[in-house]
Amino acid sequence: MKEFTIRKIQQSLENKEITCQKLVTSFFAKIKKDKLNNFITLFTEDALKQAQEVDQKIAQGKKLKNLEGIPVAIKDNILIKDRKATAASQILENYIATYDAQVIKKLKSAGAIFLGKTNLDEFAMGASNENSYFGPALNPHDHDRVTGGSSGGSAAAVAAQHCVFALGSDTGGSIRQPASFCGVVGFKPSYGRVSRQGLMSLASSLDQIGPLTNSVEDAVLVYNTILGKDDQDMTSMKTEKVDLSKIKKLSVKRVGIPKNYYELSIDQGIKDIFKDNIEKLKGQGLEIKEIDLSFMDEALAIYYIIQSAEASTNLARYDGLRYGKSVPAKDLTEQYINSRGLGFGKEVKRRIIMGTYVLSYGYREAYYNQAKKVQEDIKLRFDQIFQKVDAIIIPTTPSTAFKLNEKFNDPLTMYLADIFTVAVNMAGLPAISVPSGLVDNLPVGLQVLGNFKEEKKVFNLAYQMEKL
Amino acid sequence: MLKKEEIEKIANLAKIKLSSAEVEEFSGQLSVVLDYFQKIRNYDFTKGKVLSEESISELRLDEVRGFFESDLKEQFSGRSGNLLKVKKVL
């Protein structure tokens, strides 16, 4: 995978070892050949035109911009002006975005070439990419298995060499979990680091856009390009770019791992990889401390309460009038009910029902309000942990990529696939999944968690793990 | 246990048409999920100072900006020219 990193590709372009047109053509050819169903829309013509311009620029001896000539894939819940943006939902099947998301504007001005929009679980609800109106994306390592989700198409695209990097969105693990299943790096920044403007909202207090890449360095490069305050996202914050050379010199020493991790319900193969990596880090002089992460179970429960509550209100905008599918009806109410009934898939309906229930009169206190209190407490617990350690390492997922249809009809079992990723979102923390080994030829990712706004420490430890 | 009538009531509140098969299916599945949510009933709160919510929201100036009006109108399902048609409200 390493030959497909941003700097190496740019070097090959500048040294004229390969033309940008050839590069783009070969990516499209691979997408076509692999048939992973991981793209919803391809921008063949425009991408090639842009590649031609890059080649001209190189021929003229001009220097390339930050990401110029780099072929990129974008999750289809992020808007690119005048392009379809479906969120893998029937209700937005023919919706054309009217503006560029803030992250897209930034990638455009950095010179990235968009190859297409990638498959996902409908409105980013899912952990397998099976909840897509367009059918599931397939795991490049084994076509009978899921990619993970919800950014499954993006993860598969990076893993299968369909692009150099991709953007995803992470509400409860939707970047990190598919990254782990497909064997790529997946990074979720601290909440507020990257503007959400132009990302279709799932749970606004949790959603963050982030990169899926072939290396930790690429994750830093993309993060540096897309971060920053945006006055169209009031939750975004002033953020400075991360200095790559400084990060490598940082010395993150104190690392937390879950107490009694061997008792956790994780596949044995993943436990072995985890243990092996921790031993190696210890051998390099890192101080490993056992910490209490037993609140992960409660974090999962409150995640599904808060996320479904926010989703149920956010998705109220899909009314069959302003955009998307509209079903004829005798009056306005019936039009809403029918359009939403037909336009939304099962998981989306399930979560809207769940979210409406936990917010409804008589249940709000016991579910939503209690969940918000527990969320505050989990933030506090993390804060206490980060007084003792610089970063935490845990597995990204309890299993490797599971088979298609294996968990599809059992929502709770599917939700449990998120057990190691959601706590991070509940506390707004940065986290990265780094490919760390194989079990039965399927990739396993380990996750580095840092305190709020401590991306630098997360990247440093991720670098160290990548080198193991 | 989430009864079928409750699912129907909630679906009506959420303005979503569900088939009877979906009502049946969701009733069973969501009951299992709600049982899982019971975990937080007796959550053992940390005896520490609760973190003050760090507010990172800042308001921007209240000034008019263009908002792709014509593009947005084009996405409207019942439109003729500048008239955006909806079903009778009253």
Side-chain angles (χ1 to χ4, degrees):
Chain A
M1 297 287 177
K2 292 281 188 262
E3 65 269 30
F4 278 102
T5 56
I6 295 169
R7 287 292 169 254
K8 284 210 172 142
I9 294 275
Q10 277 198 326
Q11 270 167 16
S12 313
L13 289 173
E14 287 181 321
N15 296 340
K16 297 179 184 154
E17 289 156 23
I18 186 170
T19 66
C20 193
Q21 290 171 83
K22 182 111 193 276
L23 182 70
V24 168
T25 312
S26 69
F27 278 129
F28 280 128
K30 185 118 193 342
I31 293 168
K32 223 172 166 184
K33 182 176 144 256
D34 287 347
K35 295 192 177 73
L36 295 178
N37 194 34
N38 58 336
F39 280 85
I40 292 174
T41 316
L42 290 174
F43 310 145
T44 322
E45 226 170 87
D46 281 10
L48 279 168
K49 209 175 115 199
Q50 214 183 327
Q52 206 176 357
E53 286 162 14
V54 173
D55 285 335
Q56 279 166 3
K57 202 170 164 181
I58 293 167
Q60 290 162 0
K62 288 184 187 158
K63 207 176 153 20
L64 294 181
K65 287 188 280 186
N66 196 18
L67 297 176
E68 196 156 6
I70 300 295
V72 177
I74 305 291
K75 188 176 181 180
D76 205 20
N77 61 350
I78 298 171
L79 307 187
I80 303 181
K81 187 173 164 54
D82 297 332
R83 299 289 188 189
K84 263 194 206 176
T86 69
S89 180
Q90 192 183 357
I91 210 162
L92 291 179
E93 197 179 357
N94 297 311
Y95 173 67
I96 310 285
T98 53
Y99 63 96
D100 278 329
Q102 193 60 234
V103 290
I104 296 300
K105 280 186 201 150
K106 291 188 171 190
L107 289 183
K108 276 186 178 173
S109 54
I113 299 177
F114 301 111
L115 298 185
K117 304 291 289 291
T118 56
N119 205 346
L120 65 152
D121 284 294
E122 185 177 358
F123 287 108
M125 296 184 198
S128 69
N129 209 144
E130 292 169 291
N131 300 319
S132 165
Y133 174 60
F134 303 99
L138 308 179
N139 193 311
H141 298 269
D142 178 347
H143 293 191
D144 292 330
R145 291 179 187 270
V146 301
T147 52
S150 62
S151 313
S154 286
V158 177
Q161 301 178 348
H162 293 169
C163 60
V164 177
F165 74 87
L167 287 190
S169 64
D170 192 314
T171 307
S174 281
I175 290 174
R176 292 159 286 149
Q177 189 254 17
S180 176
F181 278 9
C182 293
V184 299
V185 172
F187 172 60
K188 183 204 96 74
S190 297
Y191 182 76
R193 287 296 202 198
V194 177
S195 169
R196 292 177 294 109
Q197 191 245 8
L199 167 69
M200 293 183 198
S201 301
L202 167 54
S204 310
S205 76
L206 311 172
D207 301 339
Q208 259 306 273
I209 295 171
L212 292 109
T213 59
N214 281 314
S215 72
V216 175
E217 179 168 318
D218 278 5
V220 178
L221 289 173
V222 180
Y223 170 64
N224 274 344
T225 309
I226 60 174
L227 55 71
K229 175 136 186 78
D230 169 18
D231 68 0
Q232 294 190 86
D233 172 4
M234 291 301 143
T235 58
S236 66
M237 59 177 151
K238 277 194 193 115
T239 297
E240 279 179 15
K241 287 186 182 175
V242 164
D243 186 332
L244 262 175
S245 55
K246 277 188 193 158
I247 285 178
K248 288 182 180 166
K249 284 182 208 141
L250 269 180
S251 56
V252 168
K253 281 269 181 268
R254 303 170 305 162
V255 176
I257 61 166
K259 197 163 69 182
N260 306 335
Y261 71 86
Y262 38 84
E263 288 170 11
L264 295 173
S265 35
I266 309 173
D267 290 358
Q268 188 56 43
I270 297 181
K271 274 185 203 172
D272 293 342
I273 286 175
F274 180 76
K275 194 174 164 218
D276 186 45
N277 276 270
I278 296 298
E279 287 303 322
K280 282 183 188 158
L281 288 172
K282 232 189 231 175
Q284 297 190 353
L286 266 71
E287 189 186 331
I288 307 294
K289 292 186 176 194
E290 292 202 346
I291 50 169
D292 182 9
L293 288 172
S294 56
F295 55 84
M296 290 273 186
D297 279 348
E298 283 92 349
L300 186 76
I302 65 164
Y303 167 74
Y304 275 98
I305 294 173
I306 293 169
Q307 184 254 74
S308 65
E310 290 191 31
S312 74
T313 56
N314 269 329
L315 270 65
R317 76 192 64 183
Y318 303 105
D319 55 8
L321 286 177
R322 287 171 290 178
Y323 23 62
K325 197 160 213 88
S326 191
V327 178
K330 65 176 186 325
D331 61 27
L332 197 59
T333 308
E334 197 184 275
Q335 190 174 2
Y336 293 151
I337 289 176
N338 290 352
S339 301
R340 289 160 66 77
L342 181 78
F344 287 142
K346 221 178 232 182
E347 179 63 16
V348 173
K349 289 182 196 172
R350 202 151 39 213
R351 294 212 199 173
I352 292 176
I353 299 292
M354 197 153 79
T356 309
Y357 180 82
V358 299
L359 287 175
S360 65
Y361 182 74
Y363 299 103
R364 188 186 170 106
E365 185 57 45
Y367 292 105
Y368 183 74
N369 293 359
Q370 175 73 358
K372 290 300 282 182
K373 285 181 204 160
V374 174
Q375 183 185 16
E376 280 307 298
D377 197 73
I378 286 176
K379 283 184 191 170
L380 182 67
R381 283 174 194 250
F382 267 122
D383 204 56
Q384 288 169 347
I385 289 170
F386 285 118
Q387 286 168 20
K388 293 179 214 136
V389 299
D390 299 313
I392 299 169
I393 301 179
I394 52 174
T396 309
T397 56
S399 74
T400 51
F402 41 88
K403 291 225 157 130
L404 288 159
N405 291 317
E406 189 181 321
K407 301 183 180 187
F408 190 57
N409 291 314
D410 184 356
L412 184 62
T413 310
M414 187 71 92
Y415 297 167
L416 287 168
D418 293 338
I419 187 88
F420 295 127
T421 51
V422 295
V424 160
N425 302 72
M426 296 324 299
L429 309 179
I432 192 166
S433 178
V434 181
S436 300
L438 295 171
V439 175
D440 299 331
N441 291 320
L442 293 171
V444 170
L446 296 181
Q447 204 184 179
V448 182
L449 282 55
N451 206 357
F452 186 54
K453 298 202 261 190
E454 302 226 278
E455 276 81 3
K456 288 177 192 162
K457 289 183 183 171
V458 170
F459 286 137
N460 173 275
L461 191 52
Y463 268 125
Q464 297 192 46
M465 287 169 63
E466 196 179 39
K467 279 187 278 172
L468 291 178
Chain B
M1 184 69 194
L2 208 50
K3 291 189 206 115
K4 280 194 268 177
E5 300 76 60
E6 281 181 286
I7 298 278
E8 278 161 357
K9 191 181 142 203
I10 297 285
N12 191 41
L13 287 173
K15 302 261 184 293
I16 291 185
K17 187 177 192 169
L18 296 181
S19 67
S20 52
E22 281 174 326
V23 172
E24 181 96 28
E25 190 184 336
F26 288 1
S27 157
Q29 288 170 339
L30 293 181
S31 297
V32 175
V33 175
L34 288 177
D35 272 351
Y36 188 81
F37 289 170
Q38 299 307 318
K39 263 179 202 301
I40 65 164
R41 277 243 153 130
N42 300 311
Y43 180 83
D44 185 17
F45 284 91
T46 318
K47 290 185 191 70
K49 205 175 99 211
V50 174
L51 294 171
S52 60
E53 184 119 329
E54 188 176 357
S55 170
I56 51 172
S57 298
E58 273 175 48
L59 298 179
R60 64 168 184 245
L61 290 176
D62 183 17
E63 56 192 10
V64 179
R65 294 181 185 184
F67 198 72
F68 339 103
E69 281 164 40
S70 56
D71 292 341
L72 284 174
K73 273 184 247 168
E74 273 175 32
Q75 299 290 330
F76 207 89
S77 64
R79 166 173 171 266
S80 55
N82 272 336
L83 176 69
L84 306 178
K85 284 190 282 191
V86 298
K87 293 275 172 192
K88 201 161 62 168
V89 179
L90 292 172

